[in-house]
Amino acid sequence: MSKTQTSQVQVKRFSKAFVVAHAINGIAFIGLYITALPMYTEFFDWLYPLLGGPEGARLAHRVLAVAFILPTFIFLIFDPKGFMNWMKELVTWKKRDLQFFSEFVKELFGFKSKHVKQTFFNAGEKINSILQIVCAILLIASGFTMWFPDVFPTALVQWGYFLHNVGFGLGFAVVLGHIYLSVIHKHSRPGFTGVITGKVPAEWAKSHYTEWYEEEVKKGNFPDLDDPKNKKNKGA
Amino acid sequence: MTNHWNDLQHTDVCMIIGANPAENHPISFRWLLKARERGGKIISVDPRFTRSSSQADIYSPLRSGTDIAFIGGMIHYAIENNLFHKEYVAKYTNASFIVKESFKFNDGLFSGFDEGTSSYDKTQWAFETDKDGNPLKDEKLENPRSVFQLMKKHYSRYDADTVSTVTGAPKDDYVKICELFCSTGQVGKAGTIMYAMGTTQHTVGTQNVRSYAMLQLLLGNIGLPGGGVNALRGESNVQGSTDFALLWGDLPGYLGAPKAIPEHATLKAFLEKETPKSGYWINKPKFYVSLLKAWYGPNATKNNEFAYQMLPKGNKNYSHISLFNAMYKGELEGAFLFGQNPVVGGPNAGKEKESLSNLKWMVAVDLWETETSSFWQKEAGSDPSKIATEVFLLPASASFEKEGSITNSSRWMQYRWKAIDSRGEAKADLEIIHVLATKIKALYKNENTPAAQPIKALHWEYGHGDHPDIDIVCKEINGYDYNTGKQVVGFGALMDDGSTCSGNWIYSGFYPEEGNNRSKARDSKNTDGGTNFLNWSYAWPANRRILYNRASADPSGKPWSSERAVISWDGAQKKWVGNDIPDFVPTKAPTDEGGMNPFIMLGDGVGGMYAPTLNDGPFPEHYEPFESPIPNVFSSVEMNPTVKVWDGEFNKKGNNKDFPIVATTYRVSEHWQSGSMTRNQEWLSELVPHMYVEMSEELAKEKGIKNKDKIVVSSARGDVTAYAMVTKRFKPYKLKGGMIHHIGMPWHFGYKGYATGDTANRLTPHIGDANTMIPEYKAFLCNVRRAD
Amino acid sequence: MATEYVKYVDVTKCDGCRACMVACKNWNDLPAEPQDFLGTMQSHANVTADTWNVLTFVEHENSKGNLDYLFRHSSCFHCTDAACEKVCPENAISYTDKGMVVVDQDTCVGCGYCVQNCPFDVIQLKNYKDENGKEYRKAHKCTMCTDRLDEGLQPACVTTCHTGAMEFGEKDDVIRKAEKRVNEIKERYPNAMVYNPKGVGGTHTIYVLAEKPSVYGLPENPKVPTSAVLWKDYAQPIGKAMVGGVAMALAGAFVANKFFDKKNGGHEDNGGGNHE
């Protein structure tokens, strides 16, 4: 099975702004997690010396926390269209989204499944986004009360600890799934290049986000892969 | 104290007046709370509601300086309501004595007053006597010239309404207090009065204490457990100090110092004049000669009046106030100040500080550099270039760094051992005096002038080198046979023929034999004496814990009540037995001569309801303080007429228009005296770091002052900047003449140490009590305003 | 647990002398921290990391119209259910066998979670600078002198108290004593009560108060914060379980995928796609 020419064709899925924002978000999230780990569980106490002791970890955590707030604004300011598109997707739910879920589970475990036509983001990605947004809000808001306890009423600070825990507990679980699907899982990992270069394989995009791909073809942005001109070698 | 600290637990009612033991003698509260547990009650009478008041069952405010009115009213109440212990009063006090017709009292003055000298001819107050010189009596107390009836008449003017308008005590609370305290007049009950500087530091201080003594005699509370008149001394060893004559008119053991008057020209004449004809003081010559023998040793013989001529004869008033007046006028060359800090603790402290710069030399002996030892520095607000005084600072050892005894308020002489060495060159006072004496003696060794004689005659053999042998000092104080060197067993063994010596007769008996220094006794089990702890330390005199304890038994020798018993006459053994050393001849039966006279130190052997020896009258009479907010309600004599008032700059007087607010000073638990020790301690300075003034919410509102504002308090003598502590614990006083405000402040602060602040005593007047010259720190006038 | 011991504080016997404050500083070698003037005799507004016991002074006009001057020795309550112990992420706070709550200074990282969750505002952080100039923090509070307890002594403050306002003894004895005392003083102090709050499981510093807790500035019904309970007893374990579960599910998915995908030869899709 060799790579055919068609497999090399890529289409632009994400703007540079999004790529940067996503990268910062991801790195910050992981960094925040690591700098919090030794305090979260004794199992990771060996990290303390590497992080410069509890104060070093605390400082790094706060620097990364500020970084964690930026992506939303980077995305919004430098790619407002992309941002609004994202927002629109998150609030648009149709029958196909529910169908997606049942097919997704089968697909995840390697059973026979079929594609349900999706728009720019599939239902799973939408859920991922919503959960990550909720978690981010919880984390950032409670992060403030934890960082500046003297400024906030005690009750808010106390609930902050709880919500921070919920935020990173849930967030991490979601991130695990997100990373698995984008890096490891066979049928979704081709999309990984999207957050590096902004481009994804055209064939893959077409089969996974069919409605979006077809629209872009209509607009003349993406190559029509059904056009025999674009098919050089249809492998077995 | 007549009684002692542990004894407080036996009281039925404790009246705290002119004192704040919860703050300033905190351990006493352990015993008061024990008394409480047994059903005892506590009364607190104070210009403001203190930490002691918080533990009291009844609190009443008292305008500072009106104790006599307050107590006079209680005397009146006790008599009117028949609450006094009749038999005790008739038999054990001079209430039954008949007073000469020449004794009168009218409009604030007793008979015999001489305006020129501001003093009384006390002979006018004498008793009527029979041909043998014994006072005539009426034990029924009905004779109109009896002390009792005269007292009743005198205090009939002190009815509750009048008292209320003078003291500011609300009438209801006042009557409740009278009722409660006077209930201890019943047989089987005992009431105690605890007092301190709030009582004594007034121009009528002595008479204040007199009024307590009268009340307690009336109620039969002297000599009983849980009773007595109990002074809370202001320093851990001031009792010891005064016992050893740190008062200018005394020699150790309260022997009078001789004056430069014809009656004191010779020892014989002196003893003739100063020895009472009856009472235990008839033994004064024995104590006096023994003292001279201790001081002058082989230089004191029968042939030279035991070196009596070596004693300086005073011709002035040598009180603190007088000395500083003299210093101010440049009449003093030098001064030793041993642990004394008048720049903070002295009356009219600002002026006292000025006076110091008139000295040619000054020696300060202190643990730290104090406001006084550094009075000449810029930090003190002085200009060193203008001050010519040569100042020496001798570092002194702290109490844990030296050996010796201290005597507490209960007269318990407790020995202390050295725990650690002193720092640097610090020395114990004993060492300092020893070195000074030896060096001065050496300097005068070959001189023959009159000035050199007393110094050469002084016998100083307390060991060689710089360190005296304190055991030798102890033995000498106790006294010993001069020929054999054997220690005496007590003052009863002292002689007036030069065969014995004793440095202080009242302590004689604490070291009765070699190896038995009883001040070192530490038996904490109640094996002897129950709560009197007879085997813990040594209480002078003769280890008697409750003074006048003969009075705890009726004339026949049986305790008035088994619940309040101390000693009783055991006819079989022919001696007094009980849980205290009898303050009485142990084998004198009640039926013997004097067998019913418990007050052995007084000539008549009975308690002095009437005291014709005091300078300002035989009965306490209310006078207003030197600076007073209202005219005297009781008479037209405003201030105690026998008080010495100096002219001039030193004691400017403020009027009640410019200074309408009554002020008082006090102490707090956390600081001590002039703060030279406590304000150099971080943990104590942390507790009370700032100088503050307490005032009522009403006064604060009037002056636009909020809690924590910086304010200025001013008097005719100076002013003080401090924080305002606006509190509910002071309330305005409703007096005759209108609403008067009252404030109070701690006097601990100065400019040295961790905790610094303005010195309250810059405000106080330079005037003292008519008998003792103790300064009137506690009642004066001031005004208050915001600092900004 | 072995026998529980309790510090008994009867404020009605306290005369506000503050020897207990000095005894505590003395025994524990704590530095002085003088404050600005607070307007009363009270020296510190609250306990701090260097001042573990503060005497509070309250002037209170009581129900009879008389003035009460109320004192309270305030320090750590040593709760049976201590919020600080609960929320410490490093397990630096623990219970001793006598029931005291202590902080292991070596383990503490100065995060301050305990400070924010204490219902009584007791435990506090202290700033330090090490020899390299690096700043760090540690949490401090009354230790109930566990070092003295281990030697058979009593806490320094209790030993110093001269009126017997403070005692130290077995929990049941102390509770009985406290209740008896309240009965004794009901006449003088009608609102007297035993302060041993149930919301923190009872404490190891038990008070006989002369007045209602609010008069002393104490919470009437303190408890372990609900947020702390939800956080530590629910969110944290559930979160850990959830992550574990997800990780397992994903591992399972990976394995299953490898296995079944081979079998099935891939899933249908529109253009065959570029699956390997």
Side-chain angles (χ1 to χ4, degrees), chain B residues 26 51 686 690 727-728, chain C residues 16 18 25 33 35 59 162:
Chain B
R51 289 183 246 186
E686 173 187 33
H690 307 282
T727 169
K728 295 179 167 54
Chain C
R18 303 196 272 186
K25 293 242 170 177
E33 323 176 85
Q35 308 287 304
E59 293 175 18
H162 68 92

Side-chain angles (χ1 to χ4, degrees), chain B residues 47 696-698 727-733 740 742, chain C residues 61 67:
Chain B
S696 65
E697 296 176 331
E698 293 81 351
T727 169
K728 295 179 167 54
R729 291 172 292 102
F730 258 121
K731 295 259 187 290
Y733 279 71
I740 296 293
H742 203 316
Chain C
E61 241 141 47
L67 184 63

Side-chain angles (χ1 to χ4, degrees), chain A residues 39 42 48 52 54-55 58 108-110 113 115 146 149 158-159 161-162 165 176 180 184-187 207, chain C residues 89-91 109-111 113 116-117 134-136 225 227 231 236 250 253-254 256-257 260-261 264 267 269 275:
Chain A
M39 206 161 82
E42 266 162 67
Y48 266 135
E55 299 72 40
R58 187 176 299 131
L108 180 64
F109 286 94
S113 58
H115 278 176
M146 287 166 71
Q158 289 176 348
W159 281 101
Y161 296 115
F162 168 65
N165 196 304
L176 275 185
Y180 176 76
I184 299 175
H185 188 63
K186 193 156 95 174
H187 299 298
S207 57
Chain C
E90 297 286 355
N91 290 320
V109 293
C111 71
Y113 290 4
Q116 299 303 323
N117 279 280
K134 193 167 90 150
E135 288 183 19
Y136 63 97
S227 57
W231 169 23
Q236 194 149 310
L250 294 176
F254 182 75
N257 224 300
F260 287 118
D261 201 35
N264 294 331
H267 60 256
D269 81 304
H275 298 141

Side-chain angles (χ1 to χ4, degrees), chain B residues 22 26-27 29-30 33 36-37 49-51 53-57 668-670 682-690 692 694 707-708 723-729 731, chain C residues 11-18 21-22 25-26 29-41 43-44 51 57 59 61 67-69 71 161-163 188-189:
Chain B
I27 307 295
F29 249 86
R30 159 185 282 173
L33 289 177
R36 258 273 196 72
E37 275 164 39
F49 193 98
T50 63
R51 289 183 246 186
S53 315
S54 73
Q55 286 289 347
D57 294 281
V668 298
S669 293
E670 299 79 5
E682 289 179 282
W683 290 327
L684 293 172
S685 296
E686 173 187 33
L687 295 176
V688 182
H690 307 282
Y692 61 89
E694 293 187 59
N707 195 17
K708 299 194 273 181
Y723 286 103
M725 186 188 286
V726 179
T727 169
K728 295 179 167 54
R729 291 172 292 102
K731 295 259 187 290
Chain C
V11 303
T12 63
K13 284 195 178 161
C14 174
D15 58 19
C17 79
R18 303 196 272 186
M21 283 182 70
V22 178
K25 293 242 170 177
N26 190 1
D29 269 327
L30 298 169
E33 323 176 85
Q35 308 287 304
D36 287 339
F37 184 65
L38 293 175
T40 66
M41 290 307 291
S43 55
H44 298 75
T51 302
F57 289 73
E59 293 175 18
E61 241 141 47
L67 184 63
D68 275 332
Y69 198 16
F71 318 119
C161 179
H162 68 92
T163 57
R188 167 84 169 84
Y189 298 107

Side-chain angles (χ1 to χ4, degrees), chain B residues 244 413 430 434 460-463 468-480 502-504 510-511 517:
Chain B
F244 279 85
M413 180 191 189
L430 187 72
H434 176 73
W460 199 268
E461 288 300 326
Y462 301 109
D469 183 346
I470 194 173
D471 192 56
I472 298 179
V473 178
C474 286
K475 285 181 170 145
E476 184 181 277
I477 291 172
N478 178 76
Y480 52 87
S502 166
N504 191 332
F510 89 89
Y511 199 174
N517 180 335

Side-chain angles (χ1 to χ4, degrees), chain B residues 555-624:
Chain B
S556 76
K558 187 163 147 287
W560 295 105
S561 136
S562 55
E563 280 124 42
R564 298 278 177 270
V566 186
I567 57 171
S568 58
W569 174 252
D570 183 331
Q573 291 189 72
K574 291 219 185 343
K575 64 178 190 180
W576 291 90
V577 297
N579 63 7
D580 192 10
I581 309 296
D583 190 15
F584 207 62
V585 177
T587 51
K588 183 185 280 198
T591 46
D592 290 344
E593 165 137 13
M596 298 185 207
N597 294 340
F599 293 86
I600 57 174
M601 296 309 292
L602 292 176
D604 300 312
V606 290
M609 201 63 88
Y610 179 88
T613 53
L614 294 173
N615 290 339
D616 36 9
F619 286 135
E621 165 70 4
H622 172 79
Y623 300 108
E624 288 289 320

Side-chain angles (χ1 to χ4, degrees), chain A residues 6-50:
Chain A
T6 46
S7 66
Q8 289 175 328
V9 176
Q10 297 208 309
V11 289
K12 185 163 174 221
R13 181 159 163 81
F14 296 119
S15 65
K16 211 170 201 89
F18 179 85
V19 168
V20 170
H22 176 270
I24 293 176
N25 195 51
I27 293 168
F29 188 93
I30 290 167
L32 285 164
Y33 203 80
I34 290 174
T35 51
L37 264 181
M39 206 161 82
Y40 187 55
T41 159
E42 266 162 67
F43 187 72
F44 285 99
D45 274 352
W46 53 269
L47 276 174
Y48 266 135
L50 302 178

Side-chain angles (χ1 to χ4, degrees), chain B residues 83 147 365 483 500 606 668 674:
Chain B
L83 295 170
V147 164
V365 183
N483 302 315
T500 59
V606 290
V668 298
S674 68

